[in-house]
Amino acid sequence: MLFKRSLLALAALFMLGAALPVMGQTSLPESCGVVRLQYWNPFTGPDGPFMGEMVEAFNAANPNIQVTMTTQSEYYTQLSTAAASNSLPDIAIVHADQIATQVYRNILRPIDSIVAESGINGEDFPEAVWNAGEVDGMRYAVPLDIHPMTMFVNMDLLASVGAEAAPKTGEEFAAVAAALTGDGNNGFMITAGFPIRQIFEMLMYQFGGTSFNEDGTEATWNSEAGVQAAQWLLDAQAAYSEPNLEVDAELNSFKGGTVGMIWNGIWQTTNVTGEGVFFTGIATAVPQIGPSPAVWAGSHQLALPVRADEDPCRDTAAGIFIGYLLDNSVTWSRAGQLPASSVVRASEEFAEVQPQFDIAMGSADYVFFPPSVPGITDAYGPLDEAIGALMSGNATDIQAELNNAAERANSILEQNRATYGTN
Amino acid sequence: MTTANPVLKTSAASAKRRFDWVPYLFILPHLMFFAVFAGFPFFLGLVISLFEYDFLRPEATRFVGALNYTNLFTSTSVEFPVFWNALGNTFEFVLISVPLLVVIPLGLALLLNINLAGKNVYRAIYFAPWVLSSAVVGLLGFWIFQSQGGLLNYYLKDLGWFTPRWLSSMPWAWYAILIVTVWWTSGFNMIIILAALQNIPATLYESASIDGANSWQRFVYITIPMLRPVLVFIVIITIIASFNLFAQPLFMTNGGGPAQSGGGGATEPIMIRIYNESFVRNRMGSGAAMSFVVAGIMMVISYFNFRIFRTRE
């Protein structure tokens, strides 16, 4: 472990000199004067101040570009109403699975030339996360971060059964979870609500399945891999967890100190590790249960909204700002995110950000995203319900549930193709 | 004074011919606000329900006639299972919550109408939850009923009693929502009934007592008939309020509630379904059609309400 990490650090050091200053090369022409930019994001949580810090640092370093950051809740509703009143910001954060929908709703505009101008290179990012910013062959967004499914471990409980490290494989996981379960403790806890569908998807990808076909016209979760994944969840629930739990129940139990391991988004790190708990809670990469590595993840991407008053000065300035955020995404990673850029993730600076660095090693290259078609998130509704029904015991026939959900998702996808004219 | 009133001054025949502006002037201030904030949106909603409509994609707006409505009645459509599931849930909630929200406040009002030391304190206590916003009530409900360290199950467990999964299993999720709603809104109904109780002349009770009526007879033959108009009002506004159930399931059972086979959550109310259809799926035409079907149902219910209570008089 130690050897592996120092090797990685060495590799990072080696790459640092060669690769880091690739982005943010252009500068703003003098004729532009001082450009003021509006930047919106949905970071209402403890992550907001980290982003604010980056914006302030950027403003200080670039006197001729002044960025004002606004954090919005009910984010996509805000974007919609701003679009209707033609008051969208210059730069906006958009989630990877929302990009196509926001493109088709006339909220985002293509940024191929701006990306090219600011020297941002697709090869510096994992393919899946880079492709998520592309719709119909045009680029609309560049990835800032990756927020993967993460395993949180109560190391004190693990130590009590003689486990020294968090499990990395299915067998290790099963052994630890089984040893911990009993005496009022649960080795592993899963709910029947969010993020159970995301966990299901992750396992299905590990077993070789996919959620949709490549062009996003058909749901494909009613496959053998899908059944295997759901069966694994039900078995794990029966063996280690309590049945039929509501949303967040696993987090609350984990904080109570009676649960060995839980899986939730990396954004829960400050909530259930470190100062947030009275025991040694750590965050680490999820173990690989199936034969191929796969990790569910979301991604915040930077995009330029449609504006009536587009002008080249603002576009160049926005490109410089985006390049700066990507270059400095180590600061952002401290908020509990993984930098999307592989170059930044390989940097020496990031190697010191823990546990993000370790999680990144075990997950960043294995993330997957839904196909970039508008309204794709709608099609997850039936799958959410099917997995929820199975996990809460309201349904028992896995294949029938997945078939029914796929059928309903297919009609939703068909309806979306008609709605968005993508037939 | 009569000269100021043209209706009284003119004969019945000429009053029919001459248009009289005065009454309309009196309602004009309200009419203006009603027209702008209720009448126009209602009309626009009706128009939108006939279109495939997204306000951000004017290029994609197209007339679809009654399609948004027929979808709701076609069993193979995307909307059919989720719409009727949510509507069924809402009906279930209305049927169970409305009797409770009339009987419990009535009982409380009767209790607080007697001469009791510190009754204003009790009135304030029962009314207090009503001043909370729905979001506060929903969050309180979540933290009381949630299964891992929630207040209620924490104590139930200490007592060695049954600790149901209040928020993730049926029918417990409904009970939790119902308990929170009754606690939240009973005070409002109670205050209205209390005001009506105090308007019943004491002489009626006195003469009934002299005639030898016991307290039960006085309740059934004086209190209830005297309260009827107020009870009609309470029943109607409570039905409408229960139909508009939104924040309690949103916060307590995460919108949908326990997932069930075939589509839609077990505690998903129709208002959340309409919101999702309109602003999450961005299918505002279809959402508007759902709203009008629900509005139609509410109008029919209100009509029967008035009729039932009227024929008794």
Side-chain angles (χ1 to χ4, degrees):
Chain A
M1 183 68 199
L2 198 69
F3 169 73
K4 199 173 156 194
R5 193 182 296 169
S6 52
L7 202 69
L8 282 166
L10 206 69
L13 204 68
F14 178 71
M15 288 165 78
L16 196 70
L20 245 195
V22 282
M23 306 170 216
Q25 285 169 330
T26 46
S27 64
L28 196 64
E30 293 240 331
S31 57
C32 289
V34 175
V35 175
R36 296 187 185 280
L37 298 176
Q38 295 290 331
Y39 164 46
W40 283 12
N41 62 49
F43 305 135
T44 51
D47 45 1
F50 288 91
M51 184 51 81
E53 195 184 300
M54 293 171 76
V55 172
E56 268 170 38
F58 174 82
N59 286 344
N62 297 271
N64 56 346
I65 306 172
Q66 291 302 301
V67 178
T68 311
M69 176 175 110
T70 311
T71 297
Q72 306 268 19
S73 56
E74 279 297 307
Y75 191 63
Y76 294 101
T77 315
Q78 292 280 8
L79 282 181
S80 292
T81 40
S85 62
N86 199 15
S87 55
L88 282 165
D90 299 281
I91 303 144
I93 291 280
V94 182
H95 293 91
D97 58 3
Q98 279 283 342
I99 293 169
T101 309
Q102 304 306 329
V103 165
Y104 272 85
R105 297 195 73 221
N106 301 320
I107 290 180
L108 303 180
R109 60 187 165 108
I111 53 169
D112 299 79
S113 60
I114 300 166
V115 169
E117 192 184 279
S118 46
I120 298 164
N121 190 346
E123 283 162 15
D124 296 340
F125 298 85
E127 202 186 342
V129 74
W130 181 252
N131 287 346
E134 203 174 278
V135 181
D136 300 336
M138 280 198 280
R139 177 143 302 275
Y140 288 87
V142 290
L144 170 67
D145 66 41
I146 296 169
H147 37 275
M149 188 66 70
T150 298
M151 179 160 76
F152 300 100
V153 186
N154 182 332
M155 288 310 285
D156 295 355
L157 274 186
L158 254 67
S160 73
V161 295
E164 280 165 15
K168 293 210 176 317
T169 66
E171 292 82 45
E172 286 173 26
F173 179 83
V176 173
L180 281 172
T181 305
D183 287 338
N185 288 342
N186 295 96
F188 175 55
M189 200 172 245
I190 35 175
T191 69
F194 179 85
I196 192 65
R197 184 264 293 166
Q198 286 77 358
I199 292 175
F200 162 81
E201 270 192 285
M202 180 170 88
L203 292 171
M204 177 172 62
Y205 276 77
Q206 291 187 0
F207 286 119
T210 55
S211 294
F212 299 99
N213 62 356
E214 217 161 281
D215 51 3
T217 51
E218 226 175 285
T220 52
W221 53 65
N222 53 342
S223 59
E224 205 180 311
V227 177
Q228 249 177 309
Q231 190 60 54
W232 188 93
L233 283 174
L234 287 170
D235 293 346
Q237 185 189 43
Y240 323 121
S241 181
E242 282 180 38
N244 197 7
L245 292 166
E246 76 275 7
V247 179
D248 291 353
E250 92 281 28
L251 293 165
N252 293 327
S253 278
F254 184 81
K255 290 177 87 171
T258 58
V259 172
M261 297 174 283
I262 57 169
W263 296 349
N264 207 308
I266 192 172
W267 54 84
Q268 295 287 358
T269 302
T270 50
N271 183 20
V272 297
T273 66
E275 300 281 300
V277 286
F278 61 85
F279 49 83
T280 317
I282 64 152
T284 182
V286 285
Q288 186 187 327
I289 306 294
S292 40
V295 177
W296 178 90
S299 165
H300 291 121
Q301 308 227 348
L302 290 150
L304 303 198
V306 173
R307 284 174 68 101
D309 59 346
E310 280 172 29
D311 93 309
C313 280
R314 308 175 85 90
D315 287 356
T316 309
I320 293 170
F321 177 65
I322 289 175
Y324 177 90
L325 289 185
L326 297 187
D327 276 347
N328 293 279
S329 48
V330 170
T331 308
W332 179 234
S333 75
R334 296 203 173 91
Q337 306 278 351
L338 311 183
S341 158
S342 308
V343 181
V344 175
R345 267 185 287 111
S347 73
E348 199 182 356
E349 213 188 339
F350 180 62
E352 281 161 20
V353 183
Q354 288 295 1
Q356 284 85 329
F357 181 79
D358 280 354
I359 298 171
M361 286 298 124
S363 30
D365 289 327
Y366 312 125
V367 296
F368 57 89
F369 293 93
S372 282
V373 297
I376 192 76
T377 47
D378 299 347
Y380 277 121
L383 183 61
D384 285 337
E385 287 162 2
I387 301 300
L390 287 167
M391 296 306 287
S392 60
N394 291 340
T396 47
D397 187 339
I398 297 176
Q399 186 69 62
E401 276 307 295
L402 293 179
N403 284 344
N404 176 279
E407 209 174 290
R408 284 171 49 221
N410 287 342
S411 354
I412 289 175
L413 289 169
E414 191 188 334
Q415 199 174 44
N416 283 348
R417 286 197 294 280
T419 304
Y420 293 103
T422 49
N423 263 326
Chain B
M1 282 313 284
T2 48
T3 50
N5 191 329
V7 179
L8 286 183
K9 202 180 165 191
T10 51
S11 70
S14 63
K16 268 182 195 160
R17 264 182 273 121
R18 210 188 309 160
F19 186 75
D20 189 355
W21 286 100
V22 175
Y24 294 94
L25 282 176
F26 278 119
I27 64 163
L28 187 64
H30 175 77
L31 189 67
M32 270 163 42
F33 283 98
F34 180 82
V36 173
F37 293 108
F40 175 67
F42 184 89
F43 172 74
L44 195 62
L46 202 58
V47 173
I48 286 174
S49 74
L50 302 176
F51 284 83
E52 184 163 317
Y53 181 78
D54 178 352
F55 64 86
L56 287 185
R57 297 186 306 122
E59 74 278 6
T61 299
R62 62 194 173 92
F63 182 74
V64 292
L67 183 70
N68 288 328
Y69 291 94
T70 53
N71 270 344
L72 299 181
F73 297 94
T74 313
S75 63
T76 52
S77 78
V78 173
E79 289 82 8
F80 184 86
V82 284
F83 176 76
W84 291 103
N85 167 61
L87 198 59
N89 288 341
T90 308
F91 266 115
E92 207 177 315
F93 179 75
V94 169
L95 274 179
I96 300 168
S97 72
V98 172
L100 289 175
L101 284 169
V102 174
V103 172
I104 292 173
L106 179 63
L108 287 174
L110 289 170
L111 283 175
L112 291 178
N113 197 33
I114 55 179
N115 266 325
L116 191 75
K119 66 179 173 187
N120 281 336
V121 176
Y122 287 110
R123 284 177 190 175
I125 288 172
Y126 288 122
F127 187 72
W130 174 251
V131 306
L132 299 176
S133 76
S134 54
V136 172
V137 169
L139 279 178
L140 276 176
F142 174 78
W143 284 105
I144 289 171
F145 287 103
Q146 59 109 339
S147 72
Q148 306 300 308
L151 198 66
L152 186 64
N153 274 10
Y154 180 83
Y155 287 114
L156 287 180
K157 202 172 176 182
D158 268 4
L159 293 169
W161 289 356
F162 176 50
T163 52
R165 294 246 190 281
W166 287 99
L167 302 179
S168 57
S169 65
M170 300 303 289
W172 303 103
W174 270 134
Y175 293 159
I177 290 170
L178 204 61
I179 290 168
V180 166
T181 307
V182 168
W183 171 74
W184 180 34
T185 58
S186 283
F188 178 74
N189 287 356
M190 178 198 78
I191 288 287
I192 294 177
I193 296 173
L194 195 58
L197 278 176
Q198 288 171 347
N199 271 339
I200 302 174
T203 49
L204 290 177
Y205 291 108
E206 277 168 31
S207 56
S209 300
I210 292 165
D211 289 342
N214 62 26
S215 57
W216 173 251
Q217 286 169 324
R218 274 177 285 163
F219 174 69
V220 173
Y221 296 110
I222 300 174
T223 311
I224 292 295
M226 292 300 282
L227 283 182
R228 180 165 291 153
V230 168
L231 288 179
V232 174
F233 171 72
I234 295 263
V235 167
I236 290 170
I237 63 160
T238 308
I239 288 175
I240 293 172
S242 288
F243 245 105
N244 286 332
L245 175 72
F246 188 85
Q248 297 93 309
L250 184 70
F251 286 99
M252 291 172 63
T253 59
N254 212 22
Q260 49 186 11
S261 190
T267 62
E268 181 184 84
I270 189 67
M271 292 303 157
I272 287 185
R273 174 49 53 188
I274 292 173
Y275 174 82
N276 284 340
E277 183 78 6
S278 308
F279 299 109
V280 177
R281 290 206 64 203
N282 298 311
R283 298 173 49 76
M284 287 137 209
S286 174
M290 288 182 181
S291 303
F292 274 92
V293 171
V294 174
I297 291 170
M298 279 160 95
M299 282 178 202
V300 170
I301 290 174
S302 296
Y303 170 77
F304 279 107
N305 241 321
F306 276 114
R307 266 194 59 155
I308 289 166
F309 281 96
R310 195 182 294 151
T311 48
R312 284 234 199 110
E313 274 170 28

